[in-house]
Amino acid sequence: GRAAPPLRADRLGVAQFAELADMSLSGDITVEGEITVPVGAPSPDEDFSTLDEPVRETIMRDLKAVGKKFVHVMYPKKSSALLRDWDLWGPLVLCVSLALMLQGGSADSKEDGGPQFAEVFVIIWFGAVVITLNSKLLGGTISFFQSLCVLGYCVLPLTVAMLVCRLVLLAGSGTVSFIVRLLVVLAMFAWSTLASTAFLADSQPPNRKALVVYPIFLFYFVISWMILTFTPQ
Amino acid sequence: FAEFDDAANLLAANPDATTISIDEPSDIPKTKHGRLQQPGREEDDELLGTDDSDKTELLAGQKKSAPFWTFEYYQTFFDVDTYQVLDRIKGSVFPVPGKNFVRLYIRSNPDLYGPFWICATLVFAIAVSGNLSNFLIHLGKPTYHYVPEFRKVSIAATTIYAYAWLVPLALWGFLMWRNSKVMNIVSYSFMEIVCVYGYSLFIYIPTAILWIIPQRVVRWVLVVFSLCLSGSVLVMTFWPAVRDDNRRIALATVATIVLLHALLAVGCLAYFFDAPELDFPAPIIPVHNGTIITKVQ
């Protein structure tokens, strides 16, 4: 079938070159024709090679994409930008910064302290994977990485809450500071849950929406709990 | 997705309607949901009494047609709607005397959603409530320094998931073994047992939250109350499966089920929640030069 024509063409080409080789030539032979090298599915926005652009441009493009998604999370509207071009840089940055900020907690005994870095990391990523699997098993139409992307990005309000909590704790750790922290964490928890629900709810079958939203609620509740119970040494 | 909305509305309005979905080859027609989920039909119980196992086996075989390494196989365990999950939770909290939880609510559609997420919620409910309760108990004491006790979450998770999966496994193995010796009328598949156990743990969630109240009497009343409710669900489910067996073995099985359930509740109460009102042993404060000083209250 398909293998035959190239062979024939090769033989033909070899024969032609052999003929050409016999001829003595003193000048260059101009050969014209078209060479098309298939590069896979041509993407409409990459008709230029990104290999030659300066590194700064490459990094800035990715940073801008991440920044745009952050803005989408802070002002959640039903836009598909977060879903269409998913990336996991944002969630990684958020997860690492949240886990780092949760360090330095009370370390009287290693047994009873707050969550370690690895624990926070595992909870966030494992929790996001489990929620994604749950929504896919219930019949959701969203893809695996899109869901991870949304859940990861919606940790942003809680990271902001952690930052605020640490600043408030610098000022003092009495009852007033606790109430302030409680209100901030509650507000950010509601914001995270609502933002992720706004993005994810549409891809679920209508009579199972609550079944999908509840684990998301639990996930952000656990993260909020870790933030709220953070006590410095 | 307009047709989904219409279908959902129609189904919600008339749950007994016959609906057929033609989306997936491994999907079974939903007629069995409409027909079988009718709590309160006495004759159904009688009818299903004699050939329950046959019907269960038949429908179970019909359902899990996809091979176990495909995603569709696991999707069959999540084939529940919101109202079904809520119904099952309600059935586990308000046991109707004489009605079997599996026959009434699960009806050959055991789901893994309920057991998994109820266990997850229970783990965090116990950990968070325990932490809160300890905080409130020791609030006034000058030597008390609040710790989040995050380790206890992993311990709670291990305990509860082990209970929710290993005990059903043991029970299923035991029932299978007895089935080979004595022809039992009622037999349950492994998934159904996991389902019953998972949903029966639901009552412990509000119990754990109420355990924050630092009064011993309140806590023990809660333990007894929740044990009665969920224990009765378990007993009413498993008694028909063992009653044809040797009397002593049947009673021993049911007693073991209830005992393990009680052990879980009491164990969680004892480990995660400090005793209130007692003279709490003075906290040990490690000091830098290596000596340990205990402050006497």
Side-chain angles (χ1 to χ4, degrees), chain B residues 4-20:
Chain B
F4 279 160
D5 284 331
D6 290 341
N9 287 339
L10 281 172
L11 197 57
N14 184 8
D16 296 339
T18 304
T19 56
I20 302 180

Side-chain angles (χ1 to χ4, degrees), chain A:
Chain A
R2 266 192 215 150
L7 280 174
R8 250 185 266 130
D10 263 351
R11 265 184 267 134
L12 211 62
V14 165
Q16 281 176 346
F17 274 110
E19 279 176 66
L20 288 171
D22 287 347
M23 300 180 345
S24 53
L25 301 159
S26 51
D28 294 313
I29 305 177
T30 43
V31 179
E32 48 183 344
E34 273 185 49
I35 304 177
T36 46
V37 180
V39 287
S43 41
D45 50 356
E46 273 192 2
D47 42 0
F48 58 93
S49 161
T50 58
L51 206 57
D52 296 331
E53 64 178 11
V55 174
R56 198 182 86 98
E57 223 173 280
T58 315
I59 295 182
M60 284 313 293
R61 186 173 51 238
D62 282 337
L63 277 180
K64 276 203 203 111
V66 170
K68 203 160 69 151
K69 291 204 191 69
F70 279 156
V71 170
H72 270 116
V73 170
M74 293 316 272
Y75 301 107
K77 307 184 293 270
K78 283 195 185 17
S79 80
S80 58
L82 210 69
L83 293 180
R84 219 172 354 123
D85 316 311
W86 60 265
D87 75 272
L88 292 178
W89 283 114
L92 182 68
V93 164
L94 287 173
C95 179
V96 168
S97 49
L98 187 61
L100 282 177
M101 283 197 278
L102 278 168
Q103 296 307 296
S106 58
D108 289 339
S109 74
K110 281 286 176 274
E111 308 305 314
D112 276 349
Q116 301 298 309
F117 182 93
E119 285 174 330
V120 178
F121 212 81
V122 162
I123 283 183
I124 292 183
W125 286 102
F126 186 65
V129 165
V130 166
I131 293 177
T132 308
L133 278 179
N134 177 64
S135 82
K136 284 188 81 69
L137 283 168
L138 281 170
T141 54
I142 200 170
S143 100
F144 184 76
F145 286 107
Q146 281 175 344
S147 173
L148 277 189
C149 169
V150 169
L151 288 168
Y153 269 103
C154 289
V155 173
L156 175 66
L158 287 170
T159 312
V160 168
M162 183 72 223
L163 199 59
V164 170
C165 280
R166 282 210 86 148
L167 293 174
V168 168
L169 278 170
L170 283 178
S173 53
T175 318
V176 174
S177 111
F178 175 73
I179 293 185
V180 169
R181 279 185 290 141
L182 179 67
L183 291 175
V184 167
V185 169
L186 272 179
M188 292 298 152
F189 161 60
W191 199 333
S192 280
T193 311
L194 289 173
S196 59
T197 310
F199 288 118
L200 290 177
D202 284 337
S203 62
Q204 307 306 324
N207 47 347
R208 297 181 182 182
K209 278 206 173 52
L211 296 185
V212 172
V213 169
Y214 172 71
I216 300 178
F217 169 87
L218 187 65
F219 177 62
Y220 289 124
F221 176 80
V222 171
I223 299 180
S224 314
W225 174 255
M226 286 197 293
I227 292 174
L228 190 58
T229 59
F230 174 77
T231 43
Q233 269 170 312

